[in-house]
């Protein structure tokens, strides 16, 4: 070495973290492609110009001495022998382990570097000799692109916009059996298994107008990080790099989305993405707001078109343009979606779509802008969860829909996600809306990005590559008659099409067809609940560590089944606090067709209070809300996202929430039913204190019984603006914990609204428009909020305080009595009475819960 090599490295041997070797010098870079057989063992190593010249000289001498064809064959045979020897040394696991990344701790950095240098030098020879580009030309470009699979051929790029330039008919009718055989052969070669990889671009002045060109970028301009821990479809949500210690792609490049979930729809024609707005995590930190300013642009569409020309590498060329000149599928997009499969050399490109328009939502709510440079946007809750979709090319829809693209719990179809980089628009939202809304644009695209802004090729663009495309969530219903735990530790291995190519394909497709988007279609469920829970959790501001998660969940699930919920989905956040604990033992108490666990270890990025200068952002919970609605909404008529301390209780003549909802459907056309939220008090007579002083319901008293003591008799007159809903997921397009923020009606233009016979109001309000209403707490249902009382809340001296005034513990008024003329009424022990038990809860639902919990214990 003639110059020092600077390393930017991360590794954690216990967690199999990736070691990234990055060169910060402008010397040529050797990069192995995703298709190289030994790509898993390849680190990014930089060579000095002198080293490259030595290699080039050796090649030239070899060419002069030996006939080119004979030398190429000899090198090919030698390379194959070396690869076979290396594959034989692997442990046989699938996908194969990455020696250079996972074993660095034991072998040392220097030995790993020497090993990689020898590997890459031996692999460097063949593509350089067989390719048409000379070493000198490569040196002038300051990058050597080594791709032993794709370098020397034209790969057909197929999109939904046009026909293939190859022989593919794009009709998706390929035999499942033929695909299965291809998959089996491909999986025999571990080098074919792509690794999730983030490619980060250098920073540029994206706020400048017009937008600076990035055509100078080459693949060597990018920094890449591999995430080899992502190797299981059944545990994809737990393995995806989200938390800070995982170095998520957004941390490397703020234009990359902070993805929390990804999955196909039931029809196999769309890949859904659930991401979070990273900039909102710390609105009180100027440096954070500056770094993640590009995140806002991902919520805003841009129009693009295909120029009809190709890039230097033969791929499709794209151009930023106006709405009028954009391609039909490029009018409202933000990402280029590139699909590829290990069974084929073909690459397909589509353009992303949004299920809703975030700027139009801001316009309908009467706000001046969706985003501000200052970053004080947390109150605009619809800009927290980012949802977008990638259309699946027809040729891949059958294998994705059927689930046969997943073999041995891993994907064989992958997606590269390329963001189109522009500045976040801080202007009034109506100034640049899509043509469908019939509001003239006042911003000129030529002012934003000039007359002829060509995007760099995908290989030269920052992106997230090799995102695995797993099974549609609906297939778990179709194949098992219920749901299954998505945790790999309790995985249900899908049928291997290579062994049974025709395994229930017709039955699966028939079942999947019933899980559509048409509201008149029969859905597997009528009423579903989702929750985000953990064995323990930290309250806001990390004020207290509440450790009652297991017990709470068991009682809460049983109650929900008692009152009519068909299925409960539990987003288990225990992994955010501990790798040893989970809610799986609780969920295993219930039948798999009633309860499903989703391993969800993503952490909250900011747990501060809303009134804090650096306002809280419970990103993990918000993403779980969106994931639940998009994943499981198509499988049910009604949906509710509620916490495990919130109990929805039928009252009056109703024994089931489903019966209540059917009555509402028959008499009213309501899509959203709101439940009042007010914190109940725990009956002091049902409380005992833990070793740390925390109050807890006695072991033989359910939470619903212990907290059945509200501050006022129903109906509530004083309640928190933290209501919960049961809503129609085919109507609500965006839901944020307490509020249904966007609907199909609020996304209608003024013209569409009037044509539908609905009164147009710019400031859309679901209740005022007749689509939502509040529950009647006397005759229909109510919500008992059993939020835990913490040590910090009760403080010291609570015994005396409870005798002088209303305190956090509940001392119930006798039935039928309450506050009279006296300001304070006390019980026989001198404690101030302060709450009212709900008689329906006490006489009907608590006994039912006790009975069913006893059956659980007996099992």
């Amino acid at each position: 070495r003639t110059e020092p090599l600077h390393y930017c490295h991360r590794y954690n041997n216990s967690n199999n973290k990736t070691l990234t070797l990055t060169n910060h010098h402008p010397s040529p870079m050797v990069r192995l492609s995703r298709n190289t057989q030994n790509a898993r063992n390849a680190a990014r190593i930089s060579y000095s110009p002198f080293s490259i010249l030595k290699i080039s000289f050796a090649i030239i001498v070899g060419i002069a001495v030996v006939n080119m064809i004979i030398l190429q064959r000899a090198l090919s045979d030698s390379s194959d022998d070396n690869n076979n020897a290396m594959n034989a040394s692997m442990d046989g696991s699938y996908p194969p382990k990455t020696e250079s990344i996972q074993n660095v701790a034991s072998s040392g950095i220097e030995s790993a570097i020497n090993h990689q240098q020898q590997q890459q030098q031996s692999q460097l020879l063949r593509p350089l000799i067989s390719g048409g580009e000379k070493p000198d030309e490569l040196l002038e470009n300051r990058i050597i692109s080594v791709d032993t699979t794709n370098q020397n051929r034209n790969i057909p790029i197929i999109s939904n916009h046009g026909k293939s330039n190859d022989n593919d008919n794009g009709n998706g009718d390929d035999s499942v059996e033929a695909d299965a055989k291809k998959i089996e052969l491909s999986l025999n070669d571990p080098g074919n298994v792509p690794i999730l990889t983030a490619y980060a671009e250098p920073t540029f002045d994206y706020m400048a107008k017009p937008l600076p060109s990035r055509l100078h970028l080459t693949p060597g301009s990018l920094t890449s990080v591999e995430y080899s821990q992502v190797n299981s479809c059944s545990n994809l949500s737990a393995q995806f790099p989200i938390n800070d210690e995982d170095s998520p792609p957004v941390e490397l490049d703020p234009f990359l989305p902070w993805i929390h979930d990804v999955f196909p729809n039931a029809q196999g024609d769309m890949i859904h993405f659930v991401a979070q707005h990273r900039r909102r995590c710390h609105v009180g930190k100027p440096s954070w707001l500056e770094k993640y300013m590009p995140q806002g642009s991902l919520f805003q569409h841009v129009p693009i078109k295909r120029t009809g020309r190709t890039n230097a590498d033969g791929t499709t060329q794209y151009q930023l343009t106006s709405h009028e000149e954009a391609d039909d599928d490029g009018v409202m997009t933000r990402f280029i979606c590139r699909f590829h499969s290990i069974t084929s050399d073909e690459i397909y490109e589509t353009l992303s779509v949004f299920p809703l328009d975030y700027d139009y939502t801001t316009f309908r709510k009467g706000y001046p802008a969706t985003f501000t440079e200052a970053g004080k946007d947390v109150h605009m809750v619809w800009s927290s969860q980012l949802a977008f979709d990638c259309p699946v090319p027809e040729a891949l829809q059958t294998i994705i829909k059927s689930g046969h693209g997943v073999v041995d719990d891993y994907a064989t179809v992958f997606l590269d996600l390329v963001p189109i980089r522009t500045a976040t628009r801080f202007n009034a939202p109506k100034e640049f809306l899509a043509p469908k809304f019939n509001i003239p644009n006042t911003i000129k695209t030529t002012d934003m990005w000039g007359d002829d802004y060509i995007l760099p090729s995908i290989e030269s663009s920052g992106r997230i590559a090799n995102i695995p495309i797993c099974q549609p969530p609906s297939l778990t219903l179709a194949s098992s008659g219920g749901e299954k735990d998505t945790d790999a530790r309790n995985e249900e291995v899908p049928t291997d099409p290579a062994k049974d190519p025709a395994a229930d394909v017709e039955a699966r497709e028939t079942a999947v067809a019933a899980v559509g988007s048409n509201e008149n279609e029969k859905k597997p469920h009528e009423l579903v609940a989702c929750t985000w829970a953990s064995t323990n959790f930290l309250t806001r501001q990390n004020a207290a560590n509440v450790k009652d998660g297991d017990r709470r969940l068991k009682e809460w699930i049983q109650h929900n089944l008692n009152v009519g919920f068909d299925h409960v989905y539990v987003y288990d956040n225990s992994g955010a606090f501990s790798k040893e604990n989970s809610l799986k033992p609780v969920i295993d108490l219930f039948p798999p067709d009633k309860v499903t666990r989703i391993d969800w270890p993503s952490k909250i990025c900011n747990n501060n209070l809303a009134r804090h200068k650096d306002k809280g952002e419970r990103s993990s919970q918000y993403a779980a809300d969106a994931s639940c609605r998009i994943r499981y909404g198509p499988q049910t008529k009604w949906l509710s996202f509620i916490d495990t301390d919130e109990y929805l209780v039928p009252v009056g003549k109703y024994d089931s929430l489903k019966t209540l909802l059917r009555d509402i459907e028959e008499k009213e056309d309501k899509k959203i039913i709101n439940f009042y939220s007010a914190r109940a008090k725990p009956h002091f007579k049902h409380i005992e204190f833990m070793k740390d002083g925390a109050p807890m319901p006695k072991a033989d008293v359910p939470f619903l019984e212990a907290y059945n003591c509200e501050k006022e008799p129903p109906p509530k007159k004083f309640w928190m603006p933290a209501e919960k809903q049961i809503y129609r997921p085919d109507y609500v397009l965006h839901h944020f914990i307490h509020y249904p923020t966007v609907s199909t009606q609020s996304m209608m233009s003024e013209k569409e609204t009037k044509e539908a016979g609905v009164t147009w109001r710019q400031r859309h309000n679901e209740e005022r428009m007749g689509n939502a209403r509040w529950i009647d707490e006397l005759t229909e249902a109510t919500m008992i909020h059993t939020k835990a009382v913490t040590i910090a809340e009760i403080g010291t001296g609570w015994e005396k305080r409870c005798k002088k005034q209303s305190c956090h513990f509940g001392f119930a008024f006798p039935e039928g009595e309450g506050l009279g003329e006296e300001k304070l009424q006390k019980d026989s022990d001198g404690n101030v009475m302060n709450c009212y038990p709900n008689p329906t809860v006490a006489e009907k639902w608590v006994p039912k819960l006790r009975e069913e919990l006893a059956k659980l214990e007996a099992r």
Side-chain angles (χ1 to χ4, degrees), residues 82-92:
N82 290 337
N83 289 336
N84 291 336
M86 289 193 63
N87 289 338
S89 68
M90 288 181 152
D91 62 3

Side-chain angles (χ1 to χ4, degrees), residues 60-348:
I60 295 171
V61 171
I63 295 173
V65 174
V66 185
N67 180 275
M68 182 182 297
I69 298 176
I70 297 175
L71 177 60
Q72 184 175 354
R73 288 179 180 175
L75 287 171
S76 178
D77 293 341
S78 173
S79 178
D80 289 343
D81 291 341
N82 290 337
N83 289 336
N84 291 336
M86 289 193 63
N87 289 338
S89 68
M90 288 181 152
D91 62 3
S93 61
Y94 179 84
K97 294 180 180 178
T98 308
E99 179 182 316
S100 62
I101 292 171
Q102 296 177 352
N103 295 334
V104 164
S106 59
S107 61
I109 291 178
E110 288 299 325
S111 62
I113 294 172
N114 293 335
H115 176 69
Q116 298 303 327
Q117 287 178 332
Q118 293 170 5
Q119 262 193 301
Q120 293 186 8
Q121 287 175 349
S122 66
Q123 293 178 12
L124 184 63
L125 298 176
R126 180 159 50 123
L128 279 178
I129 293 172
S130 60
E133 203 169 15
K134 297 178 182 180
D136 290 340
E137 294 171 344
L138 294 172
L139 285 173
E140 290 175 5
N141 293 333
R142 302 197 66 77
I143 179 168
I144 297 178
S145 179
V146 180
D147 187 340
T148 59
T149 304
N150 295 329
Q151 186 185 23
N152 303 304
R153 61 179 172 173
N154 293 323
I155 305 172
I157 303 295
I158 307 170
S159 72
N160 286 351
H161 181 75
K163 297 294 184 181
S164 167
N165 59 359
D166 199 40
N167 296 325
D168 180 74
N169 58 17
N171 59 14
D173 293 332
D174 290 344
S175 163
V176 173
E177 184 174 2
D179 283 344
K181 290 180 179 178
K182 290 180 183 178
I183 291 171
E184 184 178 31
L185 291 172
S186 297
L187 292 182
N188 288 331
D189 182 358
N192 280 334
V193 182
I195 304 173
L196 181 71
T197 305
Y199 293 91
E201 279 191 27
T203 57
F204 75 111
D205 188 7
Y206 54 84
M207 294 298 294
K209 293 183 179 181
L211 191 66
S213 172
R214 293 159 42 238
L215 289 178
H216 63 282
L217 296 176
T218 67
S221 307
L222 311 179
T223 301
S224 63
V225 172
E226 293 179 345
Y227 303 95
S228 58
Q229 76 272 18
V230 181
N231 58 18
S232 163
C233 271
S234 65
N235 210 19
L236 182 62
S237 59
Q239 294 179 344
F240 214 87
I242 300 171
N243 297 327
D244 289 348
E245 59 267 27
D246 300 325
S247 296
V250 66
E251 184 181 289
L252 310 168
D253 184 337
F255 275 100
L256 298 179
W258 192 22
I259 298 172
H260 281 60
D261 204 4
V262 54
F263 50 91
N265 67 353
Q267 293 72 31
D269 60 3
M270 202 70 72
I271 307 301
H272 297 308
F273 285 87
V274 175
Q276 284 297 123
H277 188 178
R278 180 79 164 180
R279 193 183 190 220
R280 290 170 58 105
C281 286
H282 292 290
V283 297
K285 297 181 179 180
S287 60
W288 182 277
L289 292 171
E290 179 68 24
K291 175 180 178 179
Y292 290 107
M293 188 178 291
Q295 284 279 286
S297 68
L298 304 183
F299 290 76
Q300 299 174 320
H301 78 277
V302 290
I304 71 169
K305 68 178 181 180
R306 299 164 181 84
T307 65
R309 303 185 297 271
T310 59
N311 297 308
D313 58 3
T315 57
T316 302
Q317 188 179 84
Y318 297 93
Q319 177 184 339
L320 285 168
T321 186
S322 64
H323 290 126
E324 293 73 21
E325 295 182 359
D327 289 341
D328 290 343
D329 61 340
V331 175
M332 294 178 61
T333 191
R334 177 52 71 173
F335 300 92
I336 300 171
C337 311
R338 183 170 70 171
F339 291 82
H340 49 93
S341 169
I342 66 173
T343 65
S344 171
D345 294 331
E346 290 174 343
I347 295 177
Y348 306 85

Side-chain angles (χ1 to χ4, degrees), residues 377-390:
D377 316 323
V378 177
H379 59 286
M380 291 184 279
V381 295
W382 56 94
S383 67
S384 174
Q385 305 148 314
L386 170 62
F388 61 93
D389 305 323
C390 280

Side-chain angles (χ1 to χ4, degrees), residues 808-822:
H808 279 88
F809 293 118
F811 300 94
F813 288 102
E815 186 175 350
E817 297 184 22
L819 284 175
E821 296 180 358
E822 299 179 29

